Amino acid sequence: MSFNVEEIRAQFPALKQEVNGRPLVYLDSAATTQKPQAVIDAIVHYYQHDNANVHRAAHALSGRATSAFEDSRRVTAEFLGCANPAQIIWVRGVTEAINLVAASWGRSNLAAGDKVLVSAMEHHSDIVPWQLICAERGAEVIPVPVTDDGEIDLQALEALLDEHVKMVAVNHVSNALGTINPVQEIAAKAHAVGALCMVDGAQAIAHWPLDVQQLGCDFYAFSGHKLFGPTGIGVLWGREALLEAMPPFLGGGEMIDRVSFDGTTFNRLPFKFEAGTPNIAGVIGLGAAVRWVQGLDRGSAEEHEQLLLRRCDELAESVRGLRRLGPERNRVGVFSFLLEGTHPEDLGTLLDQQGIAIRTGHHCAQPLMSRFEVPGTARASFSLYNTMDDVEALFAGLAKIQEFFA
Ligand code: PMP
C-alpha cells in the first residue's frame, strides 16, 4: 500500500495556511505535532456534550465523560502493548512522568552511594528530576558518554554499570539528534546489575509502533502533544509490581481510598497517582489521537519519513559549510545542523520569513551541546504529514540565506 501524504495532510487544518505570505512548511514536529481534525472534533464533542467531572457523580454526563476517559486508557494500553490499563497513569507529559518516578520510586529506593545513569544526550526533563532526587538522597547522577556519531557509548555504559547503579534513564530517540537508542539492549544491561531502566519515549512514540513488554524496560513515558494529541496530557507506563510498591506522588482527591486524621489509605492503580480533577478533555483528545494513529499504515508512514530524511541528507551534501549532527542511519524525525557563517537563531528567523518553521537553540539538551562544543543547532523535524516539497523548500530557503550572506 503506498502512503498518500496528501490524504494525511488534508486532515490537519493548521497545515493549510500561509505564514509571511508563503504556504506554511512546518518542520517543528519534534517540538509539537499538528493535530488532525479527528482529535480536534473529539475535544469539541466532549465540551459540547459530555462536559462533567469523572468517576464521581451519578448523572448521565459524568457517566459519559467517565466512559470516554477510561476508554482512552484502554486504547492507550493496547497501543503500548500492555494488557492492563491500570498500568497507564495519566500525567501532564514526559516531564511529569519522570518527576513522578524520580520522586516516588527515587525517594523510597535511592540511598547515599547509589547512582543513576543518564545518557549525555538526555533532554533536561530526563536529567534535572534525577539531580533533584539524588541531591536529596545523597545519590549521584552519572552521565553516560555519547560518541562522535551521536550515539550512546555502549562500552562506556557497560563500564559504568555496577551494583551501585539503581536506575538507567535514557531516551528512545534523541530530540536534538534523532538518534534511535537501543533501549532493549540498555534495559537488559541495566537489569544485569539489578538496576531499573526508564525510557523517555517523547520522540519515538509518533514514528513507529512499540511494545513495552518487548522493550523490556520498567517505565516508559510519552507526551500526547508529540503524538498528534493535545498538550498537557501524557502517559507513564510502569511495571505493575513497581507501581504497586511506589508511594503516591501528589496527594488530594481521586488518589485516596479513605481519609482520616488517624491515617489515610490510598486508591488502587492507576488512581493512586492521579490526584485532583484530571485533564479530561486532554485524555479524550489523546485517545482520539491514538485511534487515529492506529488507523494508519504505520509501516508505510515510517518508510515515508525515512525517505524525507534521506532526501535531506542528499541535498545537504551540496550545501557549502553545512555540518549535520547525529548518526548517519540510525535516526528518525530530526535533521540537526549548523551552517558556517550563520548563527542558528538567525537561520530560524530568516527561514520563518519564508514560511518555514524550524527550531533553533540547545533543544533543552545543554550537556549534549557542550559535548559537541556548539551553542545550539538548527533543527528541522519531520512527521508523517511532511512532503518532499517541504524538504525542497527547506533547502531552497537555506540557499537563499547563503546568497543573502554571500
Ligand atoms: N524528552 C524529550 C526527548 C523531548 O523531546 C521532550 C519535549 N521536547 C521532553 C522530554 C519533554 O516533554 P514535555 O515537555 O511534553 O513534558
Side-chain angles (χ1 to χ4, degrees):
M1 193 159 99
S2 74
F3 185 73
N4 189 336
V5 67
E6 289 308 328
E7 237 168 58
I8 298 278
R9 281 181 77 77
Q11 299 179 54
F12 287 80
L15 294 177
K16 298 174 211 161
Q17 63 178 298
E18 293 201 340
V19 168
N20 293 324
R22 306 284 286 275
L24 168 66
V25 176
Y26 187 75
L27 299 178
D28 197 19
S29 294
T32 200
T33 53
Q34 295 300 341
K35 320 304 173 201
Q37 193 62 49
V39 168
I40 299 167
D41 288 347
I43 296 168
V44 170
H45 180 92
Y46 163 70
Y47 278 126
Q48 281 185 341
H49 301 278
D50 303 334
N51 179 51
N53 213 328
V54 287
H55 299 136
R56 288 176 203 176
H59 60 81
L61 268 61
S62 177
R64 294 206 298 261
T66 303
S67 116
F69 184 86
E70 290 305 326
D71 207 44
S72 288
R73 203 190 301 271
R74 267 191 300 280
V75 295
T76 305
E78 189 188 302
F79 184 64
L80 292 180
C82 153
N84 180 6
Q87 289 167 261
I88 300 295
I89 315 290
W90 299 126
V91 287
R92 279 190 296 144
V94 167
T95 304
E96 187 174 289
I98 298 170
N99 276 278
L100 188 162
V101 175
S104 169
W105 173 86
R107 195 163 289 131
S108 37
N109 287 281
L110 291 173
D114 286 344
K115 298 181 205 164
V116 170
L117 302 189
V118 302
S119 91
M121 70 167 80
E122 292 314 298
H123 188 281
H124 297 160
S125 293
D126 204 20
I127 299 175
V128 183
W130 301 114
Q131 287 178 325
L132 291 172
I133 195 65
C134 284
E136 187 185 311
R137 304 297 303 163
E140 207 183 341
V141 176
I142 314 266
V144 182
V146 167
T147 66
D148 290 342
D149 284 345
E151 297 188 318
I152 293 176
D153 184 336
L154 293 176
Q155 273 181 345
L157 168 68
E158 194 94 51
L160 286 168
L161 281 167
D162 61 27
E163 74 279 12
H164 299 292
V165 177
K166 295 291 183 280
M167 171 66 79
V168 178
V170 288
N171 57 44
H172 202 167
V173 170
S174 155
N175 65 311
L177 304 176
T179 314
I180 302 171
N181 289 314
V183 289
Q184 198 169 358
E185 194 181 336
I186 292 170
K189 285 186 196 298
H191 291 161
V193 295
L196 299 183
C197 177
M198 174 158 195
V199 178
D200 163 357
Q203 296 297 339
I205 196 73
H207 297 294
W208 67 82
L210 60 92
D211 181 324
V212 285
Q213 310 292 350
Q214 208 182 336
L215 288 180
C217 58
D218 301 286
F219 298 101
Y220 196 94
F222 76 89
S223 299
H225 71 99
K226 313 252 192 205
L227 183 73
F228 317 107
T231 49
I233 188 66
V235 169
L236 168 67
W237 168 87
R239 286 194 190 283
E240 192 171 358
L242 291 169
L243 292 173
E244 286 288 2
M246 281 157 56
F249 171 47
L250 300 173
E254 282 285 292
M255 52 73 72
I256 53 89
D257 168 37
R258 240 191 105 68
V259 178
S260 102
F261 289 110
D262 298 326
T264 288
T265 52
F266 306 119
N267 208 337
R268 64 194 155 87
L269 287 176
F271 310 112
K272 178 173 82 174
F273 291 111
E274 294 179 359
T277 299
N279 180 356
I280 304 166
V283 166
I284 290 170
L286 177 52
V290 167
R291 277 194 201 87
W292 184 81
V293 170
Q294 280 174 326
L296 299 170
D297 172 357
R298 297 202 76 191
S300 302
E302 197 181 333
E303 234 168 76
H304 169 75
E305 287 184 42
Q306 283 300 327
L307 289 176
L308 298 175
L309 273 193
R310 297 288 84 84
R311 183 68 184 140
C312 272
D313 293 350
E314 265 168 34
L315 290 172
E317 273 175 29
S318 49
V319 179
R320 180 176 27 91
L322 187 146
R323 174 184 170 204
R324 194 186 59 70
L325 271 76
E328 183 107 0
R329 284 282 143 180
N330 207 14
R331 183 161 47 98
V332 72
V334 167
F335 181 79
S336 200
F337 65 101
L338 290 136
L339 200 56
E340 204 176 65
T342 325
H343 195 278
E345 303 294 328
D346 295 334
L347 268 184
T349 310
L350 293 167
L351 286 172
D352 182 55
Q353 285 172 5
Q354 304 176 56
I356 303 165
I358 64 157
R359 178 87 152 206
T360 61
H362 54 62
H363 313 297
C364 298
Q366 284 177 343
L368 184 69
M369 298 297 118
S370 304
R371 157 69 179 85
F372 285 104
E373 298 176 343
V374 295
T377 74
R379 180 189 73 183
S381 57
F382 294 87
S383 188
L384 41 78
Y385 43 61
N386 288 116
T387 62
M388 280 297 171
D389 286 347
D390 291 342
V391 177
E392 303 289 337
L394 170 67
F395 282 87
L398 292 177
K400 237 184 218 167
I401 293 167
Q402 282 195 315
E403 253 169 55
F404 177 79
F405 281 112

